[in-house]
């Protein structure tokens, strides 16, 4: 009998141990994590899924060291196992690796539990070209592989993709030892390559090397999400992810030559011409001369001012602020500058206006060059006013023992004791009249306040409506955009147009952009339209516009 009891006790003990082991295993299995794949290419994303019964969301903070997080989701379900009810939650997050190599998904805290670490292999994305069958590839065009220091280098990045995009990001990193800025707006087109039709997005950059030597430009990178078909999504045959990488390039930057003219002006070409050159004039009347400079391979910030001709005492010269128009021509930046000179002859007869000149460095031939204009020969006739009289010279003060005018006034006042009371009464009457006039103007000022507020610049802006008119008349179009952005309190042109409450003003800005960067229309006509619609100042919305997000999507619905 005792033997049977011992057997039952041992069996019960073994069963309890097995149950304890199984319960520990089940407890450990109640919070777990896995990846949908353990190897991806740079630019692709991977989905991390966490299953738990803790009822709280995981702490994703440790992931942000090596990954960018997006597309977070969660769902909850009830599971019955062995007659027991259990609530299970699943959390999913898309991870975009920030570097290549073997990355560790660290253990994550989920309530009172922790997940196990995971490993992910991130490989370098292959460089695909037009001859490949890739759904997306990148071309990069640099207009000069051997530029000089401080030379403007145009960089054009073209993204080809053979599917419809739901979202995407195209990035070109700034190389060490150079500055890089995006210019203009993206242009789109389509192209047939190898029997496949590709959509093409073209983006332009301006690269300026800061030191001589080898300059490594990393290839542009693209990562995006395509719009897949219904059956692809249903059967899981295609995640819709797209990625591409452009080829790396190394530029050999040349130093400034020892015999280069100063100021240093590296260009591909420079042309000067007269757009208005009269042959005759009259003394005392302004004669207008207009000079246009067209420079290939430079921006407004790098181009010096056109010089002012010197005419000595024979004529006065007044130079107006230059007007700038910047465009992209064949992958290179191009600048057109126009400046007006008003010449007022002082005497009749023949007047020679010396042609201006500018020294520059030809980057294509490696030689110093000078662009010059011919002298202008003017025949000046006598004007009706007989010329401009020179201002009178200041006469030196002669020592004298005579009493000054101030002393005479004081003496006269002392001899007339009624003068001071009369002056005091006059000032009091004048003050009373001014007070009445001010009160009458107060009502008018209040009625006009609401309309005036529509034209007041944003708080903190250092520009006024007068600055905007000056820029529209004689400044560059970039300066106009900068002033409008400062007045609205935003960062770029898209945000300015979002802040404007006038359709005509928004359309005029869009027309200006198309004329500058897409070659659609006349820049001069676009500027004239801007002056017309902004004559009374910009009209802002009631709420301050928000700045454009940092990452701009390549595809909009």
């Amino acid at each position: 009998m005792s033997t049977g009891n011992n057997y039952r006790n041992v069996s019960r003990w073994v069963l309890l141990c097995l149950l304890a082991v199984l319960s520990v295993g089940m407890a450990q299995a109640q919070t777990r994590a896995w990846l949908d794949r353990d190897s991806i290419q740079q630019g692709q994303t991977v989905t991390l899924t966490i299953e738990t019964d803790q009822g709280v969301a995981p702490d994703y903070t440790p992931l942000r060291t090596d990954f960018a997080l997006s597309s977070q989701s969660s769902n909850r379900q009830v599971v019955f196992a062995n007659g027991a009810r259990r609530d299970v939650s699943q959390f999913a997050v898309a991870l975009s690796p920030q570097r290549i190599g073997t990355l560790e998904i660290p253990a994550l805290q989920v309530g009172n539990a922790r997940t196990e670490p995971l490993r992910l292999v991130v490989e370098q994305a292959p460089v695909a070209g037009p001859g490949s069958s890739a759904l997306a590839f990148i071309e990069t065009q640099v207009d000069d592989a051997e530029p000089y220091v401080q030379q403007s280098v145009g960089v054009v990045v073209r993204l080809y993709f053979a599917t419809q995009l739901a979202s995407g990001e195209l990035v070109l990193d700034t190389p060490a030892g150079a500055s890089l800025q995006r210019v203009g707006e993206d242009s789109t087109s389509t192209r047939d390559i190898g029997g496949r039709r590709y959509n093409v997005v073209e983006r332009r950059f301006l690269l300026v090397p800061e030191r001589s030597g080898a300059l490594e430009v990393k290839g542009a990178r693209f990562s995006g999400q395509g719009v897949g078909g219904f059956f692809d999504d249903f059967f899981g045959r295609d995640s819709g992810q797209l990625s591409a990488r452009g080829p790396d390039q190394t530029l050999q930057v040349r130093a400034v030559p020892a015999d280069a003219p100063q100021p240093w002006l590296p260009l591909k070409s420079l042309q000067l011409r007269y757009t208005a050159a009269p042959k005759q004039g009259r003394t005392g009347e302004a004669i207008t001369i207009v000079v246009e400079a067209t420079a290939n391979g430079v921006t407004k910030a790098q181009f010096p001012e056109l010089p002012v001709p010197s005419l000595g005492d024979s004529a006065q010269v007044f130079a107006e602020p230059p007007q700038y128009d910047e465009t992209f021509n064949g992958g290179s930046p191009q600048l057109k500058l126009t400046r007006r000179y008003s010449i007022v002859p002082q005497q009749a007869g023949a007047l020679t206006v010396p042609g201006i000149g500018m020294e520059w460095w030809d980057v294509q031939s490696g030689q110093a060059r000078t662009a010059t204009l011919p002298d202008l020969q003017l025949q000046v006739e006598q004007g009706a006013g007989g010329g401009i009289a020179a201002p009178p010279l200041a006469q030196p003060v002669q020592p004298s023992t005579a009493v000054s005018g101030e002393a005479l006034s004081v003496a006269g006042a002392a001899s007339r004791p009624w003068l001071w009371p009369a002056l005091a009464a006059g000032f009091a009457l004048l003050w009373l009249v001014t007070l009445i006039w001010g009160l009458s103007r107060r009502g008018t000022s209040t009625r006009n306040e609401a309309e005036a507020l529509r034209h007041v610049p944003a708080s903190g802006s250092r520009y006024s409506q007068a600055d905007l008119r000056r820029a529209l008349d004689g400044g560059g179009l970039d300066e106009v955009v900068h002033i409008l952005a400062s007045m609205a309190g935003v960062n770029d042109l898209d945000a300015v147009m979002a802040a404007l409450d006038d359709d005509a003003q928004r359309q005029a800005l869009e027309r200006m952009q198309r004329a500058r960067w897409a070659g659609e229309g006349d820049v001069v006509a676009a500027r004239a339209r801007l002056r017309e619609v902004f004559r009374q100042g910009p009209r802002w919305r009631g709420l301050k516009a928000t700045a454009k997000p940092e990452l701009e999507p390549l595809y909009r619905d």
Side-chain angles (χ1 to χ4, degrees), residues 142-148 151-154 251 254 268 363-364:
V142 179
D143 71 342
D144 195 339
E146 296 182 357
Y148 287 90
Q151 175 185 338
S152 296
V153 180
L251 309 183
R254 293 177 283 182
K268 289 187 174 181
V363 299
Q364 295 178 326

Side-chain angles (χ1 to χ4, degrees), residues 46-231:
V46 63
T47 301
L48 171 66
T49 304
I50 298 174
E51 184 179 85
T52 181
D53 62 351
Q54 294 293 304
V56 296
D59 181 10
Y60 293 136
T61 302
L63 296 174
R64 301 185 185 278
T65 303
D66 292 323
F67 301 92
L69 280 58
S70 62
S71 303
Q72 300 184 28
S73 62
S74 64
N75 65 79
R76 181 172 295 179
Q77 56 186 344
V78 179
V79 178
F80 292 92
N82 298 326
R85 179 181 181 276
R86 188 161 63 100
D87 293 332
V88 177
S89 299
Q90 281 192 353
F91 299 89
V93 59
L95 305 179
S96 301
Q98 302 299 296
R99 59 185 178 89
I100 61 175
T102 301
L103 307 183
E104 181 180 85
I105 309 293
L108 302 179
Q109 190 73 32
V110 188
N112 296 325
R114 290 180 67 85
T115 63
E116 293 293 329
L118 304 171
R119 290 187 179 275
L120 175 67
V121 178
V122 182
E123 301 174 346
Q124 181 94 345
V127 177
S132 65
S133 59
L135 288 177
F137 64 91
I138 294 175
E139 283 184 348
T140 304
Q141 175 187 344
V142 179
D143 71 342
D144 195 339
E146 296 182 357
Y148 287 90
V149 173
Q150 299 178 1
Q151 175 185 338
S152 296
V153 180
V155 180
V156 179
V157 176
R158 297 184 182 92
L159 169 66
Y160 296 78
F161 54 97
T163 184
Q164 189 177 7
L165 288 181
S167 62
E169 182 184 29
L170 181 62
V171 178
L172 179 63
D173 295 329
T174 301
S179 64
L180 182 73
Q181 67 176 11
R182 179 179 167 185
V183 294
E185 300 295 331
D186 293 342
S187 62
T188 59
S189 60
T190 58
R191 188 176 301 178
D192 291 329
I193 301 177
R196 172 176 287 178
R197 192 170 187 82
Y198 285 91
N199 299 301
V200 184
V201 174
E202 185 173 288
R203 183 170 292 179
R204 301 177 179 90
F205 298 87
L206 196 64
L207 177 70
V208 180
E210 298 173 351
R211 59 173 181 260
S212 59
L215 178 62
E216 185 177 2
V217 181
K218 294 291 186 181
R221 305 185 310 277
F222 168 75
S223 59
Q225 184 74 29
V227 180
F230 171 77
F231 292 103

Side-chain angles (χ1 to χ4, degrees), residues 364-515:
Q364 295 178 326
S365 63
Q367 296 180 358
R369 299 189 183 277
T370 302
T372 58
L373 287 173
D375 296 345
L376 290 180
Q377 303 296 332
L378 304 180
Q379 187 62 38
V380 180
E381 298 178 356
Q382 187 68 36
I388 296 180
L393 298 177
Q395 299 296 327
V397 178
Q398 299 294 335
S400 174
T401 58
V403 181
S404 65
E406 182 179 359
L408 287 174
S409 299
V410 173
S415 64
R416 292 186 293 272
W418 52 266
L419 180 61
W420 290 114
L423 289 176
F427 280 121
L429 180 62
L430 180 62
W431 175 84
L432 181 61
V433 172
T434 304
L435 177 61
I436 296 173
W437 178 83
L439 291 175
S440 66
R441 292 285 297 172
R442 185 175 181 179
T444 305
S445 176
T446 303
R447 289 192 299 271
N448 295 336
E449 182 176 342
E451 180 63 23
L453 285 176
R454 297 177 60 86
H455 304 288
V456 174
S459 177
S461 174
R462 63 179 185 272
Y463 296 104
S464 64
Q465 186 173 331
D467 296 321
L468 178 60
R469 286 197 299 266
R470 177 190 54 78
L472 288 170
D473 291 336
L477 297 180
D478 283 341
E479 184 181 0
V480 174
V481 174
H482 174 73
I483 291 176
L484 286 172
S486 177
M487 296 175 71
V490 296
N491 298 326
D492 52 28
L493 181 60
D494 288 347
V496 168
M497 289 191 287
L500 287 171
D501 195 30
D502 190 308
D503 290 336
Q505 293 180 349
R506 288 195 296 268
Q507 293 171 3
L509 288 173
E510 292 173 353
R511 177 180 178 183
M512 175 196 73
Q513 286 295 89
R514 290 195 302 269

Side-chain angles (χ1 to χ4, degrees), residues 236-276:
R237 295 183 300 193
D238 186 5
S239 64
Q241 292 187 2
L242 292 175
S243 63
R245 182 174 66 91
D248 298 341
Q249 298 191 44
T250 301
L251 309 183
Q252 298 298 328
V253 182
R254 293 177 283 182
V256 178
D259 58 342
Q262 296 298 326
W264 169 242
L265 185 59
L267 302 172
K268 289 187 174 181
S269 64
L270 176 61
Q271 296 178 347
L272 301 177
R273 71 184 185 101
Y274 292 110
T275 59

